[in-house]
Amino acid sequence: MKPATADGPYKVPRQHNGLRSGLMAVAMHAVLLMFLWVGVSWQNNEPTEVQAEIWDMKVQDAAPPAPTPEPKPAPEPEPEPEPVKAPPPQPVQAPPVPKEDPEIALERLKAKKKEEDRQEKLEQARLKKEADEKLAKLEAKKKADQKAKEEKEKAEQEEKDKALAAEKEKDKKKAAAEKLAKEKAEKADKAAKDKAFAAEMSRITGSAAKGTTGTAAQSTGGKVDGGYASKIRAKIKSNLVYGSQDDSLAASYTITQLPTGEIIGIRKVKSSGSSAYDSAIENAISKSSPLPTKNDGTVEREITLDFKLKEMH
């Protein structure tokens, strides 16, 4: 028996002559089966029936037919031979196992422990490799999803930008069309005002007389009379409502009027920088209609005036 070691109890050593014992056992069984088969075949042979006639020479007459012989009994079967018994196999004694040196057993244990550690490290390395491969696949899938998302968002943004650009272009065209329509309307309105002004001037000055026509033309052109401008500014000042004392404020407006002095248009030429002051000046101009005329009763169709706050106090 194998001596006990640190890694387990005693173990029975493996027998190396088991093949020879097995062959001997198979041969003995084969011989026994052959004897049994021979015995059975010998007992199965059927007996042969034998008949004989006996003649008496002294009898001259024909003898009556011989009686039918009775069947002979079957012979008793011979006893079966006893099978030859094979001698029992002799037990093979195992050779004595030499006792193992403790140092050799210790070295074997160390080698076994080292191999187990190596296998464990290999298993850990395999598991780590599988985990790293899974993690790499997840990272690659995550990057692919992120890239697909960014591309989708980029495509959506491009569609939005295209739609916005188309909308801006549409608004631009619409604004240009509105501006053109507004300019046409302003031109038409100006033409209508000019026509109305000319008709009113003709009515007042008597366009049938040539001399009068020249006078009317003179009254609507040329340099603006300072006294005439002062009268208009004074009337507008009387209607101005503004409480600030910032004397640096100044605005310029062009006023369009009929020959009777009625205001038909106010256009801001220069802003003062204060929307409140600009609104106050426009309201004062509107309230001042009709404006005063010149000393000869005529007016300037369009007159541009500066309204400085320090002069409007």
Side-chain angles (χ1 to χ4, degrees), residues 13-242:
R14 184 177 180 181
Q15 301 295 333
H16 300 284
N17 53 357
L19 179 60
R20 185 175 61 182
S21 300
L23 292 175
M24 291 178 65
V26 171
M28 293 301 296
H29 283 80
V31 172
L32 178 60
L33 290 173
M34 184 179 68
F35 276 106
L36 290 175
W37 181 77
V38 171
V40 172
S41 298
W42 179 76
Q43 289 180 3
N44 289 337
N45 291 333
E46 295 181 359
T48 303
E49 182 179 355
V50 179
Q51 296 181 359
E53 294 182 1
I54 301 173
W55 296 83
D56 190 359
M57 300 300 295
K58 295 179 179 180
V59 180
Q60 298 295 326
D61 295 332
T68 302
E70 296 180 358
K72 293 181 180 180
E76 294 182 0
E78 295 182 1
E80 295 180 1
E82 295 182 1
V84 179
K85 296 182 178 179
Q90 298 295 330
V92 181
Q93 294 183 356
V97 180
K99 294 184 179 180
E100 189 176 11
D101 190 355
E103 293 183 0
I104 297 176
L106 182 59
E107 291 296 330
R108 184 179 291 108
L109 288 176
K110 289 182 179 179
K112 183 179 180 181
K113 178 64 175 175
K114 186 176 181 181
E115 179 65 19
E116 291 177 352
D117 293 342
R118 189 179 72 85
Q119 294 294 335
E120 184 177 358
K121 289 180 180 179
L122 290 176
E123 182 65 17
Q124 290 178 356
R126 185 183 65 81
L127 294 176
K128 185 176 182 300
K129 183 179 179 181
E130 291 180 355
D132 292 342
E133 290 177 354
K134 290 181 180 179
L135 182 60
K137 289 180 180 179
L138 290 175
E139 289 294 334
K141 185 176 182 300
K142 183 178 179 181
K143 289 181 180 179
D145 294 342
Q146 182 66 24
K147 185 177 180 181
K149 182 179 179 182
E150 291 176 356
E151 290 178 353
K152 182 180 179 182
E153 291 177 352
K154 183 179 179 180
E156 291 178 353
Q157 187 63 36
E158 289 178 353
E159 291 295 331
K160 289 181 181 179
D161 293 342
K162 289 180 180 179
L164 183 61
E167 189 68 22
K168 286 182 178 180
E169 186 66 20
K170 183 179 179 181
D171 294 341
K172 186 177 180 180
K173 291 181 178 180
K174 183 179 179 181
E178 291 177 352
K179 182 179 179 181
L180 183 61
K182 184 177 180 181
E183 289 176 355
K184 289 181 179 179
E186 288 177 353
K187 288 180 180 179
D189 183 62
K190 183 177 180 182
K193 289 178 180 179
D194 290 343
K195 185 177 181 180
F197 182 80
E200 187 67 18
M201 287 293 294
S202 297
R203 184 182 65 82
I204 294 174
T205 60
S207 58
K210 295 181 180 180
T212 305
T213 303
T215 304
Q218 185 179 2
S219 66
T220 57
K223 187 176 180 181
V224 178
D225 184 4
Y228 173 59
S230 297
K231 287 194 294 182
I232 294 175
R233 191 178 288 107
K235 186 171 184 181
I236 294 173
K237 176 181 177 181
S238 64
N239 294 312
L240 178 64
V241 179
Y242 188 72

Side-chain angles (χ1 to χ4, degrees), residues 272-295:
S272 65
S274 172
S275 57
Y277 181 66
D278 292 346
S279 298
I281 291 296
E282 290 181 11
N283 292 332
I285 293 173
S286 298
K287 291 179 181 179
S288 301
S289 181
L291 294 176
T293 61
K294 296 181 181 180
N295 294 333

Side-chain angles (χ1 to χ4, degrees), residues 186-187 189-195 197-198 201 216-225 228-229 232 253-269 285 291-292 294 298-307:
E186 288 177 353
K187 288 180 180 179
D189 183 62
K190 183 177 180 182
K193 289 178 180 179
D194 290 343
K195 185 177 181 180
F197 182 80
M201 287 293 294
Q218 185 179 2
S219 66
T220 57
K223 187 176 180 181
V224 178
D225 184 4
Y228 173 59
I232 294 175
Y253 282 88
T254 298
I255 303 171
T256 304
Q257 56 184 333
L258 294 174
T260 57
E262 294 179 358
I263 298 174
I264 58 176
I266 302 173
R267 180 169 57 87
K268 182 165 58 178
V269 178
I285 293 173
L291 294 176
K294 296 181 181 180
T298 61
V299 297
E300 293 289 338
R301 179 176 177 275
E302 288 186 352
I303 181 170
T304 301
L305 300 175
D306 295 331
F307 299 96

